Amino acid sequence: MAQQPRLDLALDTYECIVLYPGPAGRDLPEETVRRLQADHAGYMGALQRRGVVLVAGSVDGPAREPDAPLGFGLARTGSVDDVRTVLEADPAVRAGLYRVEVLTFHCPAGSLEFPLAKAAS
């Protein structure tokens, strides 16, 4: 496991959420994919309203094989494992449309703000 960088400045720590295509994604019927995408959007919206996820959205860019990321988000709970557990309960992740990785993200203290998360609190 990587250690926190040794810098002479204060750092904020977040959980970085990266969403990838899941193992079943290519095999699911289009109607099921649309339903799971809607379920995923609703689930993520609920996590944002509860303050679990601070920001989340899709990523677009040149495809990187074999597994280009589809989405990115940040949470700040203090536990990568807790965030992973919550995101693995996402209906689209459970169905295999997506898979999720959660990493620790460090940045200079005070450098990020989440006005929508503050409004929801």
Side-chain angles (χ1 to χ4, degrees):
M1 179 179 281
Q3 293 182 352
Q4 183 170 339
R6 298 191 190 280
L7 303 173
D8 194 19
L9 62 114
L11 296 174
D12 284 336
T13 301
Y14 297 88
E15 294 81 41
C16 175
I17 302 157
V18 185
L19 195 68
Y20 293 94
R26 288 185 171 87
D27 299 328
L28 295 171
E30 187 60 34
E31 181 178 310
T32 301
V33 169
R34 281 194 299 273
R35 179 182 52 79
L36 289 170
Q37 287 172 332
D39 291 349
H40 167 72
Y43 188 78
M44 293 303 291
L47 291 178
Q48 285 182 282
R49 286 189 298 279
R50 288 180 23 214
V52 175
V53 173
L54 299 171
V55 65
S58 62
V59 217
D60 191 14
R64 183 176 54 90
E65 292 299 329
D67 221 6
L70 301 171
F72 170 83
L74 290 173
R76 194 169 193 193
T77 68
S79 172
V80 166
D81 291 334
D82 288 352
V83 172
R84 184 179 298 112
T85 298
V86 167
L87 289 169
E88 286 175 348
D90 179 329
V93 173
R94 285 194 332 252
L97 178 63
Y98 303 132
R99 72 176 175 83
V100 68
E101 289 187 20
V102 182
L103 311 152
T104 301
F105 174 70
H106 303 285
C107 64
S111 62
L112 296 176
E113 290 190 28
F114 302 94
L116 295 179
K118 289 179 183 176
S121 313

